[in-house]
Amino acid sequence: MFFGLQKYEKSAVLGKFMSRLVKYFVFTFLLVIAGVHDIRAQYDKDAFFMRGRRALADGKYAQAIENFNVLAQLDTADYWNYFFRGIAKYNLGDLRGAKRDFDRSVRINPVFTSGYHYKGITDSRFGDYDSALFNFQKALELRPGNVGLYFSRGVTYFLSQQFDKAVSDFDFYIRKEPKDPSAYLNRGASWLFLGDTLKAMNDYNKAIRLDRFDPEGYVRRGRLYAGQRKYEQAISDMNTAIELDTTNTFAYFNRALMYYEQQNYKAAMSDLNRVLKDEPGNALTLYNRGLISANLGAYEDALSDMDRVLDINPDNVLAHFNRASVLIELGMYEDALDDYDRAIELYPDFAKAYMNRSYVHQLLGNAKASKKDYDTAQKKVREYREKSASGKTSFADTTQKYSSLLALDAEFAKKDFNDELLQHRDIDIKLRPMYRFVLTGKKDDTMYALSQGYENPLIVRFKKSLPVGVDVSNENVSLADAALSEAEQAAWKTTSPDAEEYFLRALYEYAGKHYNSALNYYTQSIDYRDKESGIEGLYRCFYHINRGALRAEMIEFISSIESNVQVLSMDDSGNTRARVKDQVVRRYDYSDAVADMKEAMKIVPDLPYVYFNLGNLYCLSSEHVNSIENYSKAIELYPYMGDAYFNRGLVLIYLKDKEKGCIDLSRAGELGVQDAYGVIKKYCEDEK
């Protein structure tokens, strides 16, 4: 009834190759370039370069990018700057941004070996192996003695399934670097896919002898033992790996499979639970735990796990198939039928699904539909046997097709539990919040060069007209941060307040979370300036911005109380139809907030914050096309508005325009929105 436990495909074995590759070369580059960077550069350029390089060496990649961004403004011809910024982006998972920087480095210097090298690595991560091999060849022509290039090319040959060429490159690399255990691990994996388990075992043993404290060698060798059904040796290796690294969830996962093969279900469940403790969103582990629960008759637990799997990846055909089997055991025949329908839709030749659906139709009294499915299942089995007998197909071909079809969510296949390269944790995907004026406490008129901050003469004049410090921000500011002494408050509070005083009162009420009072004061400030012209009349734009932002925030507060917070959901909502039927999703009316932003736009039509806020409001109202248009207008007015790129990227990904969305997220990260890199890692990693 149930399909067996799912194991990692080839790509899972490869996950650490690129990580090891990056770690191997980056530090070497940092040391070498320290001595060759152009000492004729200006002092400030050297300072930013050194700060960026130090942050890169310390793993503070976002901080490194900030320094390299400033250097890019000072000197657009420094190819090393773009190269190092590309490495920082690469390590943050922003492959698109990294590729752009590596491309630029070789455009500036066409004989820049390192640029071609990392272009090749990045192309390989994208699955563009022809381009990767071209770039490696270009680099080798420039520096044929660079053995690291053979390592990189070997990895690419492996990923493109040219295993014999991969072995050849690793052979060359090992001759020059015979004490690098990662090379033996990689060559061992290549031998494994060439079917030579003896040579693979020899390489894994050699890697372990070179570094007895690296758990990776024990994990690889243990998996090979398990493939040979030598479970005692396999479990022993996994035990050693876990002793060396008690957080190695990949070792726990593999040991669980080995315990399962020995029918030690309690130990298997314990290890899977240990994985999920650190990786609660690991769908492959959830899937396997669900299968074990079903086999043990714990159907409610199995159903819960399968629901979560399908919430992560709605197109996992095996999860639909096996959840249907659980639903049958629970007597939920209609829901089981829906799952078999979906499994067949995803895989029309799935004979077993037709057979099981025939059984469900029979249980529901649908005799005609039951017979039709039974006949279809028998027909597909006959067709497969005929093709197999005539040589038109083979079991290997079918397995390859089936494995591809049944590939779990991309996060499964790529997941090698390596936090250095790819962080897998549940990410709360939310829009960057709306902009409005907030209290900052002390007045600060300091201007910083190269800050790329937005400057608007009207905003500057308005801020100077107020007795307290304010600024435009989308960050939360506490009342304590902006508190005034009683004497300072008395200096601007009067018995006959004007528009600015009403506005300031609103800001203080907002900081104290007295939203209704703040809303009232914003309205009074708008009414006070309603008929005015001139400069002061234009200030009404700012009052509308703040009132609109407050109205939207009040709606979000209400929705959070009702447990219906509106955020941008990246996946189709709901798990199973049996559960979705009972869900009630309320729509909230943002029309008043939209009206405020549109009124602000009429008064000052070239303010990017207004368009950004409208983008958010339209997104929350599910008007995604209008949302994108307004974010684009905000970017047109202020090209360095990272939050606008971030939010537009989220909306584009939601609308399935992933490529454009990921480019926007890359730009947002480059402009300092660090939240972008978490989203990039979750939705933009396309390595194959």
Side-chain angles (χ1 to χ4, degrees), residues 264-321:
N264 188 348
Y265 301 129
K266 182 178 179 180
M269 289 289 277
S270 177
D271 275 349
L272 293 178
N273 288 335
R274 178 63 182 80
V275 174
L276 291 169
K277 177 183 176 182
D278 289 348
E279 301 284 349
N282 183 332
L284 181 53
T285 304
L286 288 166
Y287 176 85
N288 283 338
R289 189 175 71 173
L291 289 183
I292 294 176
S293 294
N295 288 334
L296 296 176
Y299 298 117
E300 290 289 350
D301 292 339
L303 182 60
S304 176
D305 280 344
M306 291 300 174
D307 283 349
R308 290 177 64 192
V309 170
L310 287 167
D311 188 43
I312 295 169
N313 180 9
D315 295 336
N316 179 357
V317 64
L318 270 186
H320 282 290
F321 178 86

Side-chain angles (χ1 to χ4, degrees), residues 128-160:
D128 189 354
Y129 303 125
D130 289 340
S131 178
L133 292 170
F134 172 83
N135 281 302
F136 290 138
Q137 184 60 36
K138 184 75 174 177
L140 282 168
E141 290 171 0
L142 293 169
R143 290 186 61 189
N146 187 338
V147 295
L149 287 164
Y150 289 93
F151 185 103
S152 303
R153 193 173 68 175
V155 171
T156 300
Y157 277 136
F158 186 105
L159 294 170
S160 60

Side-chain angles (χ1 to χ4, degrees), residues 10 14 17-18 21 25 117 120-121 124 129 132-133 135-137 140 146-174 182-183 185-191 193-194:
K10 174 185 67 177
L14 301 175
F17 283 13
M18 289 299 180
L21 185 62
F25 292 111
H117 188 172
I121 292 173
S124 184
Y129 303 125
L133 292 170
N135 281 302
F136 290 138
Q137 184 60 36
L140 282 168
N146 187 338
V147 295
L149 287 164
Y150 289 93
F151 185 103
S152 303
R153 193 173 68 175
V155 171
T156 300
Y157 277 136
F158 186 105
L159 294 170
S160 60
Q161 300 185 38
Q162 301 180 63
F163 303 117
D164 53 343
K165 293 182 179 179
V167 168
S168 177
D169 271 354
F170 289 129
D171 283 344
F172 183 88
Y173 178 84
I174 287 170
S182 61
L185 291 175
N186 291 355
R187 190 175 68 178
S190 302
W191 283 124
F193 282 95
L194 286 170

Side-chain angles (χ1 to χ4, degrees), residues 11-29:
S11 51
V13 180
L14 301 175
K16 292 192 176 179
F17 283 13
M18 289 299 180
S19 176
R20 290 177 176 273
L21 185 62
V22 171
K23 288 194 294 184
Y24 181 84
F25 292 111
V26 168
F27 189 67
T28 303
F29 276 128

